[in-house]
Amino acid sequence: YPVIKREAPSVNQLFYSEEKQLLTISWNSQVGAKYIIQSSSDFSVWKTVMSHLIAYTSPTSIEVKLNRKVNTQEYYRVGLE
Protein backbone atom coordinates (compact mmCIF):
# COMPACT_ATOMS: atom_id res chain seq x y z
CA TYR A 1 0.00 0.00 0.00
CA PRO A 2 1.28 3.50 -0.77
CA VAL A 3 2.17 5.88 2.05
CA ILE A 4 -0.17 8.89 1.84
CA LYS A 5 1.10 12.19 3.22
CA ARG A 6 -1.57 14.40 4.81
CA GLU A 7 -0.81 17.33 2.49
CA ALA A 8 -3.49 19.50 0.94
CA PRO A 9 -3.66 19.04 -2.83
CA SER A 10 -3.22 22.09 -5.04
CA VAL A 11 -5.45 22.70 -8.05
CA ASN A 12 -3.46 23.11 -11.28
CA GLN A 13 -6.29 23.88 -13.64
CA LEU A 14 -9.98 24.70 -13.54
CA PHE A 15 -11.64 24.92 -16.95
CA TYR A 16 -15.32 25.32 -17.81
CA SER A 17 -16.72 24.58 -21.26
CA GLU A 18 -19.93 26.57 -21.56
CA GLU A 19 -20.86 24.75 -24.74
CA LYS A 20 -20.60 21.31 -23.11
CA GLN A 21 -21.49 22.52 -19.58
CA LEU A 22 -18.46 20.57 -18.40
CA LEU A 23 -16.06 21.58 -15.62
CA THR A 24 -12.56 20.05 -15.69
CA ILE A 25 -10.51 20.11 -12.47
CA SER A 26 -6.87 19.05 -12.40
CA TRP A 27 -4.72 18.85 -9.24
CA ASN A 28 -1.41 17.57 -7.94
CA SER A 29 -2.21 14.23 -6.37
CA GLN A 30 -0.56 11.33 -4.61
CA VAL A 31 -0.95 7.99 -6.37
CA GLY A 32 -3.22 5.77 -4.27
CA ALA A 33 -4.75 8.64 -2.27
CA LYS A 34 -8.52 9.14 -2.11
CA TYR A 35 -9.91 12.61 -2.90
CA ILE A 36 -13.14 14.56 -2.57
CA ILE A 37 -14.38 17.51 -4.68
CA GLN A 38 -16.62 20.08 -2.99
CA SER A 39 -18.32 23.31 -4.08
CA SER A 40 -19.66 26.37 -2.30
CA SER A 41 -21.26 29.65 -3.26
CA ASP A 42 -20.23 31.42 -0.03
CA PHE A 43 -17.11 29.66 1.41
CA SER A 44 -19.28 28.73 4.40
CA VAL A 45 -21.39 25.77 3.36
CA TRP A 46 -19.63 23.13 1.23
CA LYS A 47 -21.44 20.39 -0.67
CA THR A 48 -19.81 17.26 -2.04
CA VAL A 49 -19.69 17.12 -5.83
CA MET A 50 -17.70 13.86 -6.09
CA SER A 51 -16.07 11.60 -3.54
CA HIS A 52 -14.01 8.40 -3.33
CA LEU A 53 -11.79 9.55 -6.21
CA ILE A 54 -8.64 7.41 -6.15
CA ALA A 55 -5.59 8.89 -7.87
CA TYR A 56 -3.92 6.50 -10.29
CA THR A 57 -1.65 9.17 -11.78
CA SER A 58 -0.36 12.60 -10.85
CA PRO A 59 -1.71 15.06 -11.66
CA THR A 60 -5.29 13.81 -11.55
CA SER A 61 -8.11 15.30 -13.65
CA ILE A 62 -11.86 14.82 -13.51
CA GLU A 63 -14.78 16.22 -15.45
CA VAL A 64 -18.03 17.28 -13.81
CA LYS A 65 -21.22 17.87 -15.78
CA LEU A 66 -22.88 21.10 -14.61
CA ASN A 67 -26.50 21.86 -15.43
CA ARG A 68 -26.55 25.60 -14.84
CA LYS A 69 -29.77 27.38 -15.78
CA VAL A 70 -28.61 30.75 -14.44
CA ASN A 71 -25.23 32.40 -14.03
CA THR A 72 -24.09 31.61 -10.52
CA GLN A 73 -20.69 31.93 -8.95
CA GLU A 74 -19.37 28.72 -7.44
CA TYR A 75 -16.08 27.91 -5.70
CA TYR A 76 -14.44 24.48 -5.80
CA ARG A 77 -11.91 22.71 -3.61
CA VAL A 78 -10.13 19.36 -3.64
CA GLY A 79 -9.32 17.55 -0.42
CA LEU A 80 -8.00 14.25 0.87
CA GLU A 81 -10.66 11.86 2.11
Side-chain angles (χ1 to χ4, degrees):
Y1 296 102
V3 175
I4 306 301
K5 299 175 188 169
R6 298 302 297 174
E7 297 174 352
S10 59
V11 173
N12 294 338
Q13 183 181 31
L14 192 65
F15 175 76
Y16 179 65
S17 168
E18 195 168 346
E19 177 185 333
K20 297 178 182 179
Q21 292 188 328
L22 200 63
L23 176 69
T24 303
I25 303 171
S26 178
W27 67 95
N28 289 333
S29 56
Q30 299 176 63
V31 174
K34 192 186 299 185
Y35 293 90
I36 186 169
I37 308 291
Q38 296 178 313
S39 69
S40 175
S41 60
D42 60 6
F43 287 108
S44 180
V45 177
W46 292 88
K47 62 182 178 189
T48 299
V49 176
M50 298 180 92
S51 61
H52 307 293
L53 300 167
I54 298 174
Y56 294 103
T57 61
S58 184
T60 297
S61 294
I62 58 106
E63 293 179 336
V64 179
K65 180 75 172 167
L66 301 177
N67 296 316
R68 301 269 188 243
K69 303 260 189 287
V70 295
N71 288 336
T72 59
Q73 189 165 341
E74 202 77 16
Y75 303 96
Y76 291 86
R77 69 182 181 185
V78 178
L80 281 169
E81 253 188 307

